[in-house]
Amino acid sequence: MASSTSGSQTNGNKDTVSNKVKSGKRTLSDVLIGPARDVRDPQVFHSLSLVAFLAWVGLGSDGLSSSCYGPEQAFLALGHHQYLAVFLAMLMALTVFIISASYSQTIDLFPTGGGGYLVATKLLGKYFGLVSGSALVVDYVLTIAISIASGADAIFSFMPISWHPFKFYLCLAVVLLMVLMNLRGVKESVLSLLPIFIAFIVMHVWLVGYAILSRAPELPSIVGDAVKEVHASSSSIGMLASR
């Protein structure tokens, strides 16, 4: 009886959507965020699921957005101790490796999917899950805010100074645009980011590869100078302070 009722409701929702399409009437919400979907329709899962590459784009956008401003700010924080940039780059690569290894273990334990909240709840308990979920909310808010602000700074860095008062309004417009993109669905938002993601990867592979290859003969001397500077700093101010 319950299955027949849910089936009739599903058919009714399909009929409503089809009638709306046939009549040609589209509301503002249909234009902005798309038509309503029935979560009980088994075809919805197949239409919303992402292939591995698109899932990589969706998950990798967070890390790539942080890489646009994170290394720069870390380098600026070094101040006059720019020789530590070599060790900073090594530690960044090690951090990425550790995170990737932990993700691999998470995928093995939760093959059907699981974020920080689910993993912490299942493995450590509900209170740890709440802490992880709260941390994720704060992390997402800060990531979006800092990424948009950093992107606006990069764009307005080559704009006339008289245009700088409009930077705040550009940030608001980008936030609203991202809200609309996510309301339309995961697949739609990922597809819109796909050209930007590919351009970012291609350009950075070329730029980083060119920088490393063009300075390859100088790398041993750069590393050697960095080690000498560390020893000099540790002898004058102590190893703990130099770190």
Side-chain angles (χ1 to χ4, degrees):
M1 185 68 179
S3 60
S4 61
T5 302
S6 61
S8 60
Q9 289 177 349
T10 302
N11 294 330
N13 292 331
K14 290 181 179 180
D15 294 337
T16 302
V17 175
S18 61
N19 291 333
K20 185 183 293 187
V21 173
K22 290 180 181 179
S23 61
K25 295 180 180 179
R26 299 183 66 189
T27 63
L28 181 61
S29 62
D30 292 337
V31 176
L32 294 178
I33 64 177
R37 301 180 186 272
D38 183 13
V39 295
R40 292 165 296 188
D41 187 359
Q43 296 180 354
V44 171
F45 174 78
H46 298 286
S47 61
L48 296 180
S49 59
L50 300 175
V51 297
F53 178 75
L54 293 181
W56 178 56
V57 173
L59 294 175
S61 299
D62 184 14
L64 291 183
S65 64
S66 300
S67 67
C68 292
Y69 60 85
E72 177 188 4
Q73 295 301 320
F75 183 79
L76 293 176
L78 295 178
H80 298 292
H81 305 284
Q82 297 180 357
Y83 58 90
L84 294 176
V86 176
F87 305 101
L88 181 63
M90 294 179 180
L91 291 175
M92 286 183 178
L94 178 62
T95 302
V96 173
F97 175 79
I98 294 175
I99 293 175
S100 300
S102 65
Y103 275 143
S104 299
Q105 294 179 355
T106 302
I107 293 173
D108 291 337
L109 291 175
F110 300 89
T112 59
Y117 171 76
L118 178 61
V119 173
T121 302
K122 294 291 185 181
L123 299 181
L124 301 176
K126 62 179 181 179
Y127 294 108
F128 291 96
L130 290 175
V131 173
S132 177
S134 302
L136 286 173
V137 172
V138 176
D139 173 62
Y140 291 153
V141 172
L142 292 177
T143 298
I144 294 172
I146 297 175
S147 298
I148 294 177
S150 176
D153 287 338
I155 293 175
F156 279 86
S157 63
F158 56 87
M159 296 289 185
I161 300 179
S162 58
W163 290 22
H164 284 201
F166 299 100
K167 181 167 61 176
F168 175 73
Y169 301 102
L170 176 64
C171 293
L172 290 181
V174 174
V175 170
L176 293 177
L177 178 62
M178 292 185 64
V179 170
L180 290 176
M181 288 171 56
N182 284 275
L183 286 176
R184 289 192 65 88
V186 177
K187 181 177 291 187
E188 289 79 359
S189 59
V190 169
L191 288 176
S192 61
L193 293 174
L194 181 59
I196 302 175
F197 183 88
I198 295 177
F200 184 93
I201 293 294
V202 172
M203 291 177 60
H204 277 70
V205 167
W206 179 76
L207 291 173
V208 173
Y210 173 77
I212 294 177
L213 293 177
S214 62
R215 296 297 183 95
E218 304 176 15
L219 289 179
S221 61
I222 293 175
V223 175
D225 293 339
V227 174
K228 293 179 182 178
E229 291 288 346
V230 170
H231 287 299
S233 299
S234 62
S235 61
S236 59
I237 62 179
M239 180 61 69
L240 183 61
S242 64
R243 290 179 181 178

